[in-house]
Amino acid sequence: MLNWAPLPRRLRNFMTLLAAMPIALTLVESANAEALRARAATLVRDGLGLDGAECLYVEGSGRWLGRDGDAAQFDCSDFSHPYAHVIRSGKALTLSVGDARTRLDHRAFQTQVARLAANKCLQVRPLRAIDGDQEWLGVLMMIGERDALTALNDEPGMAAFEALLCRLWARLSREQGERHRTRALRDSLAKLNDGARRQTLADQLAEDLLGQSMAMHTLRRQVVRAAETNLAVLLQGETGTGKDRVARALHQLSARSKGPFMAINCAAIPEALLESELFGHSKGAFSGADQAQEGLISQADGGTLFLDEVGDMPLALQAKLLRVLESGRYRPLGASEERCADLRIVSATHQPLREHIRAQQFRADLYYRLGQFPLTLPPLAERRDDIAQLAQSFITDFCQREERVEMGITPAALRLLHGRDYPGNVRELKNLIDYACAMTAQGTDIDAYVLPGELDNDAPVNTTLPTSGGAYALPDSIDDLRQALRDVESDIIRQRLLHFGGNRAQTAESLGLPKRTLAHKCQLLELDTK
């Protein structure tokens, strides 16, 4: 051992620094965070002559402490082991092995100290990144004599060692995370080339996303492609096109299918409550917060979070959501520390987000982050060939739900449905079918006369027909008299059939027509049941 005491102070400090260089080089040469932790523990144990040393790490969610090469985990909120005390307080803790055995009853911790002498001491020191978000990295646990461990509290060399360890640990963790994301993206792109398997999955999707039109074939193939990546998906399209069903299909086909699927409608929850619903809150965070509550982001950890009507999210929350997308980190309301969540976000909107961006009502950076994989759902007007299949599916659902005998639908009714406009898209069609099923007698098929007429959005039309006598309200302008008379006659017969529950004999008698004449008119006006 060299005696540097006679040397000037600056030179003595420099010589001390040179002596520490091999330690620093040993740490710097670590290939990954696990190797770094092992080398650091060995250097501390051998350099200080301790009985043992070990680095424990905080895993990705921030909830657990793990040990390299051991399946045991320590809950950071469980104070039956000393690591939780250190993580919560941010201060080193020193206690004797004897006290640890009698005061702390955590099973995994007791196994860890079972073979130690009772007169030895434990010291647990917090390890936290010193820059950026100052996230928790883990703890350093050392075993030795009390005097030796206590002396480390005021030792500048120990503080410098920990600072170097934390800086290298944080850097290696970031590099490992980047390599993991790169590898995941590469694997995702490789899956895109598996055409046969994707087609099989797309065919399976046809059971949930109904329709044999080209628009639906294209949509199902895009859903399969999106599900095989880790990209955020933005669903756009008119209201009633089935964005919620597509979101669930994305989750079920993804690698996260065994995880939770959580959904929230951003337009249906008041702005004051939306942040708490998403991020959660701690006890006492605001008036009425009598207990802590996990938000949907936490509940969706390991799975998928579906944000419906994301275009209605307030600007303040948009910034916080962007941070979750970029780093996976968030802070519950009233909490002092951040948490991590591993989840995929699928969002949906019928609003023109680009116009909202120009009006400064939606963040452009969030739009591009949400829309890594954009999907546009086709309106029903672009897939009219699917109306018959959709109608029969809705009829079957109604009969099962209402415990009715299975019914069908007449060609005349299908022709009427095919010619309608659907501003509400598939949802509007379903409501029409449910109404028609309810108005159809047991044992008969849905006929055209039970389907309600279309409403003019510009000027409400009085479709109420008199049961006897009276004038019929005609449109203000008529370009084709024959067609106008045909429409009036069709409406009168349809309403009268509806009034008599489809009984043609009573309908013919009420209109002063022979039954044969009524049947002929029903055929001409496409009100026939054949």
Side-chain angles (χ1 to χ4, degrees):
M1 177 71 69
L2 294 177
N3 183 13
W4 293 338
L7 297 176
R9 183 175 180 180
R10 287 183 62 182
L11 183 57
R12 189 163 63 245
N13 290 342
F14 181 69
M15 297 301 290
T16 302
L17 179 62
L18 289 178
M21 288 297 291
I23 295 177
L25 289 174
T26 299
L27 295 178
V28 169
E29 292 172 353
S30 302
N32 51 53
E34 183 175 353
L36 176 69
R37 291 191 290 268
R39 290 184 177 186
T42 300
L43 287 170
V44 168
R45 184 194 63 206
D46 296 343
L48 299 177
L50 302 177
D51 295 272
E54 182 179 2
C55 284
L56 287 77
Y57 62 92
V58 176
E59 55 92 41
S61 69
R63 300 176 183 175
W64 304 90
L65 273 165
R67 301 175 65 195
D68 292 319
D70 192 335
Q73 288 185 319
F74 299 87
D75 189 341
C76 292
S77 61
D78 181 4
F79 290 91
S80 63
H81 60 77
Y83 309 128
H85 293 271
V86 173
I87 289 291
R88 293 298 177 182
S89 67
K91 299 178 181 179
L93 175 66
T94 303
L95 71 164
S96 69
V97 173
D99 286 343
R101 287 175 177 168
T102 56
R103 292 166 51 189
L104 302 172
D105 58 359
H106 192 277
R107 180 176 299 178
F109 176 73
Q110 289 299 331
T111 302
Q112 195 177 9
V113 300
R115 298 182 180 181
L116 300 179
N119 62 343
K120 295 293 182 179
C121 277
L122 300 172
Q123 185 174 93
V124 183
R125 302 174 69 91
L127 298 175
R128 194 171 192 174
I130 59 177
D131 55 5
D133 297 326
Q134 295 189 344
E135 62 184 297
W136 283 109
L137 299 172
V139 298
L140 172 62
M141 189 270 286
M142 298 177 292
I143 306 165
E145 301 294 337
R146 178 178 290 274
D147 292 342
L149 295 175
T150 304
L152 295 177
N153 292 332
D154 301 319
E155 176 55 45
M158 189 63 187
F161 175 85
E162 289 179 348
L164 176 61
L165 171 61
C166 290
R167 190 177 296 275
L168 293 174
W169 189 340
R171 189 196 71 189
L172 288 172
S173 295
R174 286 194 297 269
E175 291 176 353
Q176 282 182 271
E178 291 171 0
R179 287 197 296 270
H180 174 74
R181 286 191 293 271
T182 300
R183 186 166 55 252
L185 181 59
R186 186 171 59 248
D187 293 342
S188 295
L189 293 175
K191 291 178 181 178
L192 295 180
N193 297 321
D194 189 1
R197 186 176 59 84
R198 290 202 308 270
Q199 187 58 51
T200 300
L201 292 173
D203 293 341
Q204 294 174 0
L205 267 183
E207 298 179 5
D208 292 322
L209 305 180
L210 298 176
Q212 296 304 317
S213 62
M214 183 58 66
M216 288 306 295
H217 279 295
T218 301
L219 176 64
R220 287 194 290 266
R221 287 196 296 267
Q222 290 176 332
V223 169
V224 171
R225 285 175 176 265
E228 291 179 339
T229 73
N230 291 307
L231 303 176
V233 179
L234 176 62
L235 305 176
Q236 293 179 289
E238 297 178 8
T239 183
T241 50
K243 292 185 282 291
D244 54 339
R245 296 182 72 90
V246 173
R248 288 187 178 275
L250 282 166
H251 172 72
Q252 292 166 0
L253 288 181
S254 73
R256 300 174 179 271
S257 58
K258 294 183 179 179
F261 177 87
M262 308 303 298
I264 184 172
N265 188 321
C266 299
I269 298 179
E271 180 177 341
L273 299 179
L274 184 57
E275 182 175 2
S276 176
E277 288 291 323
L278 283 174
F279 296 91
H281 61 260
S282 59
K283 183 178 180 180
F286 50 84
S287 178
D290 299 329
Q291 58 184 4
Q293 175 178 310
E294 282 193 343
L296 292 177
I297 291 176
S298 175
Q299 296 176 47
D301 190 17
T304 302
L305 175 60
F306 175 45
L307 301 175
D308 198 6
E309 299 302 346
V310 72
D312 292 293
M313 180 176 287
L315 279 170
L317 277 187
Q318 291 177 27
K320 296 184 178 183
L321 177 61
L322 180 63
R323 175 163 171 74
V324 175
L325 283 162
E326 290 179 340
S327 66
R329 305 186 70 83
Y330 68 99
R331 189 191 302 273
L333 283 172
S336 58
E337 296 179 357
E338 290 187 333
R339 299 181 183 177
C340 293
D342 175 25
L343 75 165
R344 183 191 200 173
I345 290 184
V346 177
S347 53
T349 182
H350 72 281
Q351 299 190 12
L353 291 186
R354 289 185 179 274
E355 294 181 11
H356 282 23
I357 292 172
R358 286 193 290 269
Q360 297 185 346
Q361 297 174 347
F362 200 85
R363 294 178 61 108
D365 48 3
L366 178 59
Y367 170 74
Y368 293 116
R369 192 63 178 79
L370 289 173
Q372 289 180 321
F373 201 121
L375 285 177
T376 300
L377 278 63
L380 191 55
E382 295 180 6
R383 43 181 297 222
R384 291 186 179 274
D385 292 343
D386 296 332
I387 289 177
Q389 183 184 6
L390 290 168
Q392 189 58 60
S393 174
F394 296 150
I395 292 171
T396 301
D397 290 343
F398 179 90
C399 292
Q400 293 176 351
R401 187 171 65 249
E402 301 293 332
E403 298 182 351
R404 292 274 298 271
V405 177
E406 185 68 27
M407 67 179 73
I409 184 168
T410 67
L414 283 177
R415 286 194 295 271
L416 191 61
L417 289 175
H418 195 275
R420 290 179 65 106
D421 290 329
Y422 293 94
N425 292 289
V426 179
R427 185 184 295 120
E428 181 180 351
L429 174 63
K430 182 180 186 303
N431 291 340
L432 282 173
I433 294 299
D434 284 347
Y435 172 81
C437 288
M439 297 299 293
T440 300
Q442 290 272 14
T444 61
D445 293 339
I446 295 174
D447 208 342
Y449 69 85
V450 300
L451 294 171
E454 294 186 76
L455 293 178
D456 186 339
N457 294 326
D458 297 326
V461 176
N462 180 14
T463 57
T464 303
L465 300 180
T467 55
S468 63
Y472 181 80
L474 295 174
D476 293 334
S477 61
I478 297 177
D479 298 326
D480 187 334
L481 181 59
R482 291 185 179 180
Q483 184 61 45
L485 292 174
R486 181 184 174 93
D487 291 341
V488 170
E489 187 176 26
S490 175
D491 285 343
I492 292 173
I493 294 175
R494 181 185 294 110
Q495 292 288 346
R496 200 59 61 87
L497 281 168
L498 183 60
H499 178 75
F500 289 108
N503 188 307
R504 290 194 175 186
Q506 291 179 329
T507 299
E509 182 179 356
S510 71
L511 293 172
L513 295 174
K515 185 176 178 182
R516 183 184 296 274
T517 301
L518 177 64
H520 179 64
K521 286 184 176 292
C522 286
Q523 185 175 5
L524 290 176
L525 298 173
E526 297 186 341
L527 298 176
D528 60 300
T529 59
K530 298 181 181 179

